[in-house]
Amino acid sequence: MKKRSSIIVFLLVALMALTLGCASTRTHEGTGEYVDDSVITTKVKAMIFDEPTLKSSEINVETFKGVVQLSGFVSSQANIDKAVEVARKVNGVRSVDQKMRVK
C-alpha cells in the first residue's frame, strides 16, 4: 500500500511539474502560444508575399504572444503603411509593432 501511494505522489508531482513547465510567463511563451505565434508569423509573411506592392524579402516578421513586429528597410512610407495594414488583417494578431525604416 505504501508503494502505491508513493507512486501516486510521484505521478502527481511529475504531472504538476510538466504542467508548470509548459506555462507561459510575461517574458516566456508556453508551448501552445509558441505554436500560435508561429502560425500568425507564417500567415503574415504569406499575406505580405501575396501583396504585389510589397517586397517580402525586405520585411522581417516576428510574433510574440500575438504581437507582430515588422522590421526591415523598405522603399517608401506607403509600403510601411501597407505592411502594417496587411498584418493587422491576420486572425490572432493583437497588435503590430512597426520597426521598419525607409531606405
Side-chain angles (χ1 to χ4, degrees), residues 50-89:
D50 288 342
E51 179 58 44
T53 60
L54 299 175
K55 293 182 182 176
S56 60
S57 61
E58 295 178 337
I59 302 171
N60 301 312
V61 181
E62 294 181 33
T63 308
F64 182 73
K65 294 190 175 190
V67 177
V68 173
Q69 180 179 1
L70 301 175
S71 61
F73 294 94
V74 295
S75 56
S76 70
Q77 182 62 44
N79 286 352
I80 291 174
D81 297 339
K82 187 64 175 178
V84 170
E85 176 188 331
V86 165
R88 285 189 176 138
K89 291 180 181 178

Side-chain angles (χ1 to χ4, degrees):
M1 187 67 156
K2 188 172 183 171
K3 187 174 183 176
R4 179 187 273 196
S5 63
S6 295
I7 291 173
I8 290 172
V9 169
F10 173 77
L11 290 175
L12 288 174
V13 169
L15 179 64
M16 195 163 93
L18 214 151
T19 302
L20 293 175
C22 293
S24 65
T25 64
R26 190 168 49 87
T27 59
H28 179 71
E29 291 179 304
T31 306
E33 289 174 320
Y34 178 77
V35 171
D36 292 344
D37 285 345
S38 297
V39 170
I40 291 170
T41 298
T42 302
K43 287 181 179 180
V44 171
K45 286 180 178 181
M47 288 187 70
I48 288 172
F49 181 77
D50 288 342
E51 179 58 44
T53 60
L54 299 175
K55 293 182 182 176
S56 60
S57 61
E58 295 178 337
I59 302 171
N60 301 312
V61 181
E62 294 181 33
T63 308
F64 182 73
K65 294 190 175 190
V67 177
V68 173
Q69 180 179 1
L70 301 175
S71 61
F73 294 94
V74 295
S75 56
S76 70
Q77 182 62 44
N79 286 352
I80 291 174
D81 297 339
K82 187 64 175 178
V84 170
E85 176 188 331
V86 165
R88 285 189 176 138
K89 291 180 181 178
V90 173
N91 286 336
V93 173
R94 297 161 111 201
S95 65
V96 177
D97 186 16
Q98 190 285 108
K99 302 284 185 190
M100 292 178 286
R101 302 286 178 250
V102 177
K103 53 179 166 176

